[in-house]
Amino acid sequence: MSPAELKTRIASGLLSFPVTHFDADLGLDLASYARHVDWLSGFPAAALFAAGGTGEFFSLTSREIGRVVRAAKEASGATPIISGCGYGTEMAKEIVREAEAAGADGILLLPHYLMRVPQEGLFQHIRAVCASTGLGVIVYNRDNSICSTETLQRLADACPNLIGFKDGSGQIGLVREITRTLGDRLSYIGGMPTHELFAEAYDGAGVSTYSSAVFNFVPGMAIDFYDALRAGNSAKMGALLDDFFFPFAKIRDRQPGYAVSLIKAGVAAAGYGSGPARPPLTTPSAEETAMLKALIEKVS
């Protein structure tokens, strides 16, 4: 898929990022993962992120990322697969090579490792990763990697294959400045944890799509919410927020890291057992899992 084709595709519908499946010994369980991706690909997602943040990118080696991407590509049919990428510049380029060899359709560049850096450093890092590949690249504004509007404009001018901007910072003012300034040069993706809680605000800021974590285990309901957003159906969105998303967020917020491991519990509850999360993430309690199952039953 060319960068231009990927740009158009990611703007066309809901996105999601399958969790990475592990066995009891915390090794990759690619057979279980492929079964899950095959199921998700039967729903109208515009693309899937393999080994993204919810896919425990931070717990995978570069070779494991390649294996996950390859398994996703083999199972996803016509649904494009975008590989997670990150860490320092040289490690990111190594991951790009693994993802390309595995057949990825694009790259999601997550925040670099640990350090807060000046805008010039961000520019050099992102430009180097873009220059290392012919795939379309989406930059993820989050945590210690927040591009200013000026930096993103420089990157858009310097990197023809930079095709997307994803935001998980919650800085709506900055997001609106970026969408207003860069216009249709990029496709814009919402990337807040449980983004449905923020979808209407981001839509007003010019962000037309987002990645849904709960698509992992209630894909039909996630699509219903997205369709209601596109149709301006506030009553439908409000009902789903009240019945599912607000109480889900309360369970998610009980422990750090539940934005990933609670999703894995949901996948297991849906019959696509994904195994435990790798440390340092922890597994939800039996009580919390029961609460989640009750929510799933309410909207299924």
Side-chain angles (χ1 to χ4, degrees):
M1 182 169 283
S2 72
E5 290 170 332
L6 184 64
K7 177 190 169 188
T8 299
R9 183 60 182 259
I10 63 175
S12 69
L14 186 66
L15 308 167
S16 190
F17 28 84
V19 298
T20 299
H21 292 222
F22 300 122
D23 59 28
D25 296 322
L26 299 179
L28 292 178
D29 186 345
L30 295 181
S32 176
Y33 177 73
R35 190 170 71 95
H36 184 212
V37 171
D38 176 69
W39 178 56
L40 295 180
S41 298
F43 294 84
L48 297 175
F49 296 102
T54 301
E56 296 181 71
F57 168 81
F58 45 83
S59 293
L60 301 172
T61 67
S62 60
R63 288 202 169 188
E64 285 179 325
I65 291 167
R67 293 177 64 198
V68 169
V69 169
R70 182 172 287 105
K73 281 294 296 179
E74 291 173 353
S76 67
T79 304
I81 297 297
I82 301 168
S83 175
C85 182
Y87 303 116
T89 306
E90 294 307 312
M91 289 182 68
K93 289 159 65 176
E94 178 181 316
I95 291 167
V96 165
R97 289 192 292 271
E98 293 282 350
E100 284 182 324
D105 296 292
I107 298 295
L108 174 65
L109 184 56
L110 284 81
H112 59 276
Y113 175 70
L114 189 62
M115 301 297 294
R116 296 195 177 275
V117 299
Q119 289 296 304
E120 180 61 25
L122 281 178
F123 173 79
Q124 296 292 346
H125 169 66
I126 297 167
R127 184 177 66 172
V129 174
C130 288
S132 74
T133 181
L135 297 177
V137 177
I138 302 162
V139 65
Y140 196 176
N141 249 33
R142 186 166 177 172
D143 297 324
N144 63 327
S145 183
I146 304 293
C147 289
S148 68
T149 304
E150 294 75 17
T151 297
L152 199 61
Q153 181 69 72
R154 289 179 66 201
L155 286 164
D157 292 341
C159 307
N161 61 328
L162 179 66
I163 53 91
F165 169 82
K166 184 177 181 181
D167 185 76
S169 74
Q171 297 182 37
I172 292 290
L174 173 61
V175 171
R176 184 63 186 114
E177 183 182 27
I178 286 169
T179 61
R180 174 68 178 166
T181 301
L182 279 87
D184 62 5
R185 170 62 183 83
L186 301 174
S187 289
Y188 303 99
I189 305 166
M192 294 291 288
T194 315
H195 190 86
E196 286 86 353
L197 300 175
F198 307 90
E200 291 174 277
Y202 271 76
D203 189 61
V207 177
S208 60
T209 189
Y210 58 89
S211 53
S212 171
V214 303
F215 183 87
N216 266 281
F217 58 91
V218 281
M221 188 272 287
I223 292 291
D224 286 347
F225 187 95
Y226 176 82
D227 288 346
L229 175 68
R230 296 273 56 83
N233 189 341
S234 296
K236 177 70 171 179
M237 286 186 286
L240 290 173
L241 287 168
D242 291 339
D243 289 345
F244 181 85
F245 288 105
F246 291 145
F248 172 83
K250 288 181 180 178
I251 306 170
R252 179 205 66 193
D253 291 344
R254 285 185 164 206
Q255 294 289 345
Y258 273 14
V260 174
S261 53
L262 191 65
I263 299 298
K264 299 198 86 168
V267 173
Y272 292 87
S274 55
R278 282 179 173 174
L281 298 180
T282 58
T283 300
S285 67
E287 176 193 10
E288 290 161 341
T289 301
M291 294 166 67
L292 177 61
K293 288 180 178 178
L295 284 179
I296 294 171
E297 291 172 3
K298 194 171 184 179
V299 297
S300 296

